[in-house]
Amino acid sequence: MIKKWNCFRKKSKKSTAEIVPHDVILNNGGTTTAAGTTVCTAVAAVVSTVVSTQSSTVRLYGSPTSVLAAYIRFALLHKGVSVRFVPSDTPNFGADAPVLQIGSETVSGSLETVLRYIDARFPHPPLGVRSCEEEEDEEEEETTPSVVRAIALQHKSMTWHVERLVRWVEDLSTRGGKGSVDPTVGSPRMEMKKLARSYSELLEVLLEHAQMEERVVFPILERADRGICKAANEEHARDLPIMNGIKEGIKSIGVMDSGSPDYQEALSNLSTRLKSLQENSKQHFMEEDKDLLPFMEAVELNKEQQKRVLEQCLDVMQGTHSHLFNFLLEGLLPCEAMQYLDLFISCNDRERTASTLKLIID
């Protein structure tokens, strides 16, 4: 369950491993809005309402394979609301539309109807629900290919995960081999195992993302302008030794005595390598977003072709969009995660989408 997206959680002494984008905003004092207030202030204003609402039992009745039910469950978790899902193939008097029940209130109908109800009951963070007419207008005005939007969001997630690991190792180094203030992290050796797992997940996403670009996106651009992706391909190859070196470094630290000088030196070397990966990745993603991916628009793919390209990209990144989908979304702000979810749903069959969303929530 995506507990990490609960923005009403009290500020606590968490390790860097447990911090996600929403916490970063709140722990930095909030993001200033146009009105001059902060997100933290806005959250504080609605906490009492949300807490009282959450005291009511929240149930969702629907089919386990329903995309609509899965999307509603995801939206509730996005709000930090604990929901009990009750499997039911025909929850709405014989109809297959999901039914949301909060206390004595029930709501059913279109996705827009249910999401607007959720937004009204749980104001923060907003879902940004658009009407069907607004979505149609936006689709007509949207010129950026869907694959470019998906890649840009992947870049944001991977950038955040690299930054998190950099902060995490710096924190380990500062502690000098001592345990975290958060007992759930465990001993130094247990913490290194968690760091190793997190890096392995990031490495898989990074490699699948590079393969996706090389197999699907770059060939399309190369057909329009040969040699245009040469630099990007070279940068993919350049970072492989750094990524493998980080993996081996984490493995070595995991068997060291946390109080030894060698342990501290190894942490310092690991920190240096991670910072190199951070800088290289940030620069690479920025160059792609600014100088390379915009050319996808010039290729002039129609909507059906764009959809096929995005489907091919998701097929290459099967691992990321199955057992690591939650990991990918954790690196995004909630509004960005919902945008990515929209793209994912738009080009997948109902069964695959429902099973993937179920993995996120269960």
Side-chain angles (χ1 to χ4, degrees):
M1 185 176 289
I2 313 181
K3 300 175 185 175
K4 298 179 181 179
W5 285 8
N6 186 354
C7 59
F8 304 111
R9 183 173 49 200
K10 292 182 179 179
K11 189 174 180 180
S12 61
K13 296 179 179 179
K14 289 185 173 292
S15 75
T16 307
E18 303 303 319
I19 298 172
V20 294
H22 228 83
D23 293 309
V24 172
I25 291 176
L26 297 180
N27 291 336
N28 283 341
T31 301
T32 302
T33 65
T37 58
T38 64
V39 171
C40 286
T41 305
V43 173
V46 298
V47 165
S48 59
T49 302
V50 173
V51 170
S52 63
T53 306
Q54 286 185 325
S55 63
S56 303
T57 302
V58 180
R59 291 187 177 90
L60 176 65
Y61 300 84
S63 170
T65 61
S66 167
V67 174
L68 190 59
Y71 201 111
I72 293 169
R73 292 171 74 189
F74 183 87
L76 287 165
L77 290 177
H78 164 71
K79 296 282 191 176
V81 177
S82 178
V83 57
R84 180 184 173 190
F85 181 71
V86 182
S88 176
D89 289 330
T90 56
N92 192 15
F93 303 102
D96 59 1
V99 174
L100 179 63
Q101 183 181 58
I102 302 178
S104 60
E105 296 182 17
T106 60
V107 63
S108 185
S110 68
L111 179 61
E112 179 187 341
T113 298
V114 179
L115 292 185
R116 287 192 181 280
Y117 173 81
I118 293 172
D119 247 354
R121 289 299 300 265
F122 308 98
H124 192 86
L127 294 172
V129 184
R130 302 185 303 273
S131 67
C132 294
E133 292 77 11
E134 288 173 330
E135 289 182 348
E136 289 174 1
D137 291 341
E138 185 173 303
E139 287 178 3
E140 290 178 2
E141 294 174 3
E142 181 63 68
T143 58
T144 304
S146 55
V147 66
V148 174
R149 285 180 278 148
I151 291 174
L153 289 169
Q154 290 175 12
H155 286 170
K156 285 187 176 184
S157 175
M158 291 183 289
T159 296
W160 184 84
H161 276 291
V162 175
E163 291 173 349
R164 183 193 66 163
L165 287 171
V166 168
R167 295 196 306 271
W168 193 352
V169 173
E170 286 179 338
D171 184 40
L172 277 166
S173 184
T174 301
R175 283 187 260 135
K178 295 180 181 178
S180 169
V181 294
D182 185 354
T184 62
V185 174
S187 67
R189 185 160 293 184
M190 293 165 68
E191 186 173 1
M192 283 306 302
K193 287 182 179 179
K194 292 184 177 183
L195 189 146
R197 182 173 63 248
S198 186
Y199 180 73
S200 293
E201 291 172 336
L202 173 61
L203 186 60
E204 184 173 346
V205 174
L206 285 167
L207 292 176
E208 282 195 343
H209 174 84
Q211 291 170 1
M212 173 269 292
E213 290 183 333
E214 293 166 5
R215 294 181 188 178
V216 182
V217 179
F218 291 174
I220 294 173
L221 295 174
E222 287 284 338
R223 285 196 292 270
D225 187 348
R226 188 164 184 168
I228 195 172
C229 300
K230 181 181 178 182
N233 275 311
E234 289 174 349
E235 288 175 2
H236 286 174
R238 175 200 63 190
D239 288 336
L240 275 174
I242 297 176
M243 292 190 286
N244 290 331
I246 292 171
K247 184 177 182 180
E248 292 304 314
I250 293 174
K251 189 184 300 183
S252 298
I253 295 171
V255 297
M256 289 182 179
D257 179 358
S258 61
S260 69
D262 288 343
Y263 180 88
Q264 199 65 30
E265 183 181 355
L267 276 177
S268 178
N269 292 334
L270 177 60
S271 179
T272 300
R273 285 174 172 169
L274 275 168
K275 286 177 181 176
S276 294
L277 178 62
Q278 178 187 26
E279 186 58 36
N280 289 352
S281 299
K282 187 176 180 180
Q283 173 106 23
H284 175 68
F285 295 155
M286 191 180 301
E287 289 173 353
E288 284 191 350
D289 290 340
K290 181 182 176 183
D291 301 327
L292 187 61
L293 293 177
F295 287 123
M296 283 294 292
E297 188 176 331
V299 176
E300 296 183 338
L301 300 176
N302 61 40
K303 289 191 180 297
E304 189 57 39
Q305 290 171 326
Q306 287 185 38
K307 183 177 179 180
R308 283 202 299 270
V309 170
L310 185 55
E311 286 174 344
Q312 291 169 5
C313 289
L314 297 181
D315 286 341
V316 174
M317 298 183 70
Q318 278 191 353
T320 298
H321 294 88
S322 56
H323 64 282
L324 292 180
F325 197 50
N326 192 20
F327 179 85
L328 177 67
L329 295 184
E330 283 174 1
L332 298 172
L333 290 168
C335 59
E336 295 168 341
M338 299 295 275
Q339 291 168 18
Y340 195 85
L341 189 62
D342 284 336
L343 291 168
F344 176 79
I345 289 175
S346 70
C347 63
N348 274 289
D349 61 77
R350 294 174 65 87
E351 185 175 346
R352 178 177 171 182
T353 298
S355 63
T356 300
L357 294 182
K358 190 173 184 298
L359 288 174
I360 298 171
I361 296 165
D362 289 342

